[in-house]
Amino acid sequence: MTQATASNLNNQILDISPQIHYLVGMSQPETHLFEITLKIVNYPNSILDLKMPVWTPGSYLVREYEKNLQDFAAFGDNESLSWRKISKNHWQVEKGDVSEVTITYRIFANELTVRTNHLDPTHGYFNGAALFFRIPNYDHLPIQITIIPPHEKWQVTTGLSTITETNNSFLAADFDTLVDSPFEIGDHQLYKFAVLGKPHELAIWGKGNFQVQEMIADFEKIIEVEAKMFGGLPYDRYVFFLHLLQQAFGGLEHKNSCSLIYQRFGFRNQDKYEPFLQLVAHEFFHLWNVKRIRPQGLEVFDYDQENYTPSLWFCEGTTSYYDLVIPLRAGIYNTKAYLNYLSKEITRYLNTPGRKVQPLSESSFDAWIKLYRPDANSGNSQISYYLKGEMVSLLLDLLIRVHHENQRSLDDVMRQMWEEFGKAEIGYTPEQLEEVIESVAAMDLGDFFQRYLHGLEDLPFNEYLQPFGLQLVEDKREEPYLGVRTNTENGREIIKFVELGSPAQKAGIDAGNELLAIDGIKVGNQLNERLKDYQPHDSIQVTVFHQDELRTYSVTLAAPIPNHYQLVPVQNPDLSQQEKFAGWLGASLTSIR
């Protein structure tokens, strides 16, 4: 076959490939209903299969997006086509021999999170997995999306490329790209800026007390630090989506964008603004770690069910370690502030009893059934792979640094993972990940992984911190130990958590009980203050409502336990400790006293 003949044949194949075009309308945004029209031309089979994803990459929970779909209909040659549901998320249409099929349906969208859809009179926001059907065996084909806003003043922002011939039309290279490209449609504020010669956009929906120029300047610092670490930016254009609500926090990464949700008045106070920038650093770091450096279990997405991997500790936990480090390197806060933030994370970890029950690798694997579905016993039975993954990443960074005099670090692990797996987007196995870490550390870490990744041994923080002139000190409570955490709800003090093995648990007190009184006197929201009137081993009478039944329990209080941990310099650090600390965090130990 000649080259010309082969070229003609390829063109013919392309010409008869199915053409997929989605139109997204929202004519009555107050109903919260997106109106979807799917047009498919040249679909070759007599039966058309359509599947709605049940989850979206980056958020490891089956969310059953199909539950929001209604008013499904199918047409061919202007006539109705028969169809049926095969399973919860699978529709089949009897297409016959018609050349063009039109599918219409509506999606209810009234849940504003980074992983769902929201439509109201001010804007429309959607994620592809929660809005579009997948056509099995044709996921690889390009998909055209046309947005039909309800008002001319509404603008459309997305990370997808624009089809220049058609207004508000965009092109996704394939279904994975469509799922990975959220849309913001409405009267949002849009700001454009350039970093390292590449265009960036910030789309903000909602009112707040942010100072946009300060925010963009800090975004630029974060982008530059992370780009320097990996040797450049792996995209041509990037979009930050930011939704502002009264109380909100979260983010979801994409290949050339990220969705952020934050409290609208969380930008003036540094104690609130800096955690926002950590969120930005976290989602932006995912450009490399997760979106391109992916575990083998996430290399090819199965949108119909869970996608298991024991490596989420590295995907999310290591990213969490860096989301504190990046703002420090960017000069957004100083070393003392960094160590305070790290101390809070260590405190959260050490105050989670479940760390002694669930190994880190198991936490990663069981994300689908545990992390996003917390219950009253979660704190006792599980540990977040974000949190313990962050702690293990800290120890690995310190371990590598101390053995190589700060000439190697966890940064080198990230760069090697980028070179070996990220650039080519080849999924790595858990064994390959451990091999890369060992190759950078230049030592056998089998015992480390067995103890802290696959086992339940407590992390030896001080052993790893001591060479850097730091120690972790504990601050015990003044009050004796009861073992409950409460929250005020509508004027009622509700017990939200009872620690396993605590005096309260041994006495029979349950999460969900309404705490009423201690020794016959109302507690209100003064539990800790009331407990200060007692001593360890005192017996108290705790009165609660248990399922509307008044009960009183006799509880013997225990000795106070630590509730806060702080990283502080060791006494009289030697020269080696001072040098290692400076090599790690770029400051002197004396600067944090």
Side-chain angles (χ1 to χ4, degrees):
M1 183 183 297
T2 65
Q3 183 174 352
T5 303
S7 177
N8 290 336
L9 181 58
N10 287 335
N11 289 335
Q12 290 174 17
I13 293 172
L14 290 173
D15 289 341
I16 64 173
S17 294
Q19 299 171 30
I20 307 169
H21 185 188
Y22 275 102
L23 295 93
V24 181
M26 53 209 82
S27 62
Q28 296 177 295
E30 65 278 4
T31 67
H32 310 295
L33 288 168
F34 281 110
E35 302 141 356
I36 317 300
T37 300
L38 166 60
K39 294 182 178 294
I40 307 171
V41 179
N42 294 333
Y43 185 78
N45 305 323
S46 60
I47 300 296
L48 170 63
D49 288 285
L50 300 168
K51 287 190 171 185
M52 177 71 72
V54 302
W55 72 288
T56 193
S59 183
Y60 307 103
L61 177 68
V62 171
R63 297 185 181 276
E64 311 292 21
Y65 292 126
E66 69 278 359
K67 68 185 177 182
N68 294 315
L69 188 147
Q70 64 185 66
D71 306 321
F72 183 94
F75 305 91
D77 293 339
N78 297 318
E79 294 185 0
S80 295
L81 298 177
S82 298
W83 59 273
R84 60 175 179 161
K85 284 193 74 172
I86 302 300
S87 67
K88 63 181 182 180
N89 68 320
H90 185 182
W91 282 252
Q92 272 191 348
V93 178
E94 295 182 15
K95 168 189 162 290
D97 59 359
V98 299
S99 61
E100 181 174 337
V101 178
T102 299
I103 307 294
T104 62
Y105 59 95
R106 297 198 288 178
I107 295 287
F108 184 71
N110 195 24
E111 184 180 0
L112 183 54
T113 72
V114 296
R115 64 192 70 86
T116 51
N117 304 331
H118 190 251
L119 176 64
D120 69 11
T122 67
H123 84 139
Y125 170 80
F126 64 80
N127 286 277
L131 200 78
F132 298 120
F133 278 118
R134 180 176 69 86
I135 305 174
N137 302 317
Y138 295 93
D139 311 64
H140 61 286
L141 293 179
I143 302 168
Q144 182 177 342
I145 306 94
T146 299
I147 306 297
I148 309 170
H151 311 294
E152 289 185 0
K153 67 177 183 179
W154 277 25
Q155 59 185 331
V156 181
T157 301
T158 179
L160 290 177
S161 300
T162 302
I163 300 175
T164 55
E165 304 84 29
T166 311
N167 193 30
N168 288 333
S169 285
F170 306 86
L171 185 66
D174 49 36
F175 187 77
D176 285 340
T177 303
L178 180 60
V179 164
D180 203 36
S181 304
F183 278 72
E184 177 67 28
I185 307 136
D187 57 359
H188 53 279
Q189 303 172 60
L190 186 63
Y191 304 93
K192 297 184 178 182
F193 58 101
V195 185
L196 300 177
K198 294 191 175 183
H200 296 71
E201 296 177 12
L202 169 60
I204 304 177
W205 174 84
K207 296 180 180 179
N209 63 353
F210 59 88
Q211 300 294 320
V212 71
Q213 293 308 318
E214 176 188 358
M215 185 190 297
I216 289 175
D218 288 330
F219 278 27
E220 291 173 348
K221 295 173 185 175
I222 290 169
I223 294 169
E224 288 172 353
V225 167
E226 296 192 18
K228 181 180 179 181
M229 180 173 168
F230 287 98
L233 296 171
Y235 54 77
D236 295 322
R237 171 175 159 265
Y238 193 88
V239 182
F240 295 92
F241 297 94
L242 174 58
H243 294 142
L244 301 179
L245 297 176
Q246 188 61 32
Q247 290 294 329
F249 181 91
L252 187 64
E253 69 276 3
H254 302 284
K255 258 192 172 180
N256 66 342
S257 65
C258 68
S259 291
L260 310 166
I261 191 167
Y262 204 68
Q263 52 186 301
R264 66 173 77 252
F265 297 121
F267 299 93
R268 184 177 296 118
N269 186 311
Q270 284 299 111
D271 289 342
K272 294 181 179 179
Y273 179 56
E274 288 172 357
F276 168 70
L277 295 176
Q278 291 165 0
L279 174 64
V280 174
H282 183 103
E283 302 307 330
F284 196 75
F285 198 84
H286 276 320
L287 272 173
W288 295 273
N289 196 21
V290 173
K291 295 313 299 181
R292 291 167 174 85
I293 306 171
R294 293 208 291 268
Q296 199 172 77
L298 300 175
E299 185 176 5
V300 177
F301 299 122
D302 182 343
Y303 293 104
D304 293 334
Q305 60 186 355
E306 297 88 347
N307 293 226
Y308 295 104
T309 173
S311 300
L312 289 180
W313 74 269
F314 182 75
C315 301
E316 294 291 356
T318 301
T319 300
S320 295
Y321 174 64
Y322 277 103
D323 73 33
L324 298 187
V325 173
I326 297 300
L328 169 67
R329 294 180 182 176
I332 291 169
Y333 47 64
N334 61 24
T335 305
K336 186 173 183 178
Y338 166 75
L339 291 175
N340 283 334
Y341 283 121
L342 185 56
S343 297
K344 291 178 182 177
E345 294 294 277
I346 295 173
T347 296
R348 282 206 304 130
Y349 170 74
L350 291 175
N351 283 334
T352 304
R355 75 184 191 280
K356 299 179 179 179
V357 176
Q358 185 183 45
L360 181 52
S361 55
E362 180 184 302
S363 172
S364 298
F365 195 84
D366 281 348
W368 299 90
I369 57 173
K370 292 194 175 181
L371 182 70
Y372 292 97
R373 291 174 172 164
D375 57 36
N377 193 50
S378 293
N380 288 321
S381 63
Q382 59 183 275
I383 186 68
S384 164
Y385 52 81
Y386 283 83
L387 184 55
K388 188 172 181 181
E390 177 183 4
M391 299 297 100
V392 169
S393 297
L394 166 67
L395 297 193
L396 284 171
D397 193 19
L398 298 179
L399 175 66
I400 296 170
R401 287 176 178 276
V402 78
H403 279 275
H404 295 277
E405 298 294 334
N406 275 315
Q407 297 305 303
R408 292 187 186 180
S409 69
L410 195 61
D411 292 11
D412 295 290
V413 171
M414 298 309 308
R415 282 189 281 264
Q416 189 166 326
M417 290 295 291
W418 172 240
E419 291 296 329
E420 291 190 23
F421 302 100
K423 285 185 175 180
E425 297 191 37
I426 301 170
Y428 60 83
T429 66
E431 294 76 19
Q432 288 172 322
L433 172 59
E434 293 180 11
E435 287 170 4
V436 168
I437 297 172
E438 287 183 322
S439 70
V440 171
M443 59 188 303
D444 184 347
L445 294 176
D447 185 60
F448 180 99
F449 294 132
Q450 187 57 44
R451 289 185 178 190
Y452 311 128
L453 183 56
H454 308 299
L456 293 172
E457 288 193 31
D458 252 340
L459 303 182
F461 289 105
N462 280 328
E463 176 185 334
Y464 284 75
L465 290 165
Q466 193 274 340
F468 296 85
L470 290 176
Q471 60 183 330
L472 191 65
V473 298
E474 61 185 42
D475 177 22
K476 290 187 177 180
R477 295 179 183 269
E478 297 179 38
E479 69 275 10
Y481 176 52
L482 175 61
V484 303
R485 299 175 195 166
T486 64
N487 191 39
T488 304
E489 297 179 358
N490 299 320
R492 303 160 64 222
E493 201 67 12
I494 305 300
I495 296 173
K496 306 300 289 186
F497 177 67
V498 180
E499 186 167 342
L500 187 67
S502 67
Q505 188 267 329
K506 291 177 180 178
I509 296 173
D510 285 339
N513 289 175
E514 179 185 354
L515 178 61
L516 299 175
I518 291 179
D519 287 341
I521 300 176
K522 182 178 178 180
V523 174
N525 61 359
Q526 300 296 314
L527 175 61
N528 290 340
E529 287 300 312
R530 288 290 305 279
L531 290 174
K532 290 177 183 178
D533 293 332
Y534 298 92
Q535 298 297 318
H537 310 300
D538 283 352
S539 180
I540 62 174
Q541 302 298 305
V542 178
T543 302
V544 304
F545 271 130
H546 175 80
Q547 298 177 351
D548 298 328
E549 180 181 333
L550 189 66
R551 293 185 181 181
T552 297
Y553 298 91
S554 180
V555 183
T556 300
L557 297 173
I561 63 170
N563 70 321
H564 179 72
Y565 298 82
Q566 186 67 41
L567 291 166
V568 299
V570 298
Q571 292 292 326
N572 304 315
D574 59 31
L575 181 60
S576 174
Q577 290 172 313
Q578 295 179 49
E579 290 176 345
K580 285 183 174 63
F581 181 87
W584 172 32
L585 297 180
S588 67
L589 266 171
T590 57
S591 68
I592 63 169
R593 292 188 180 278

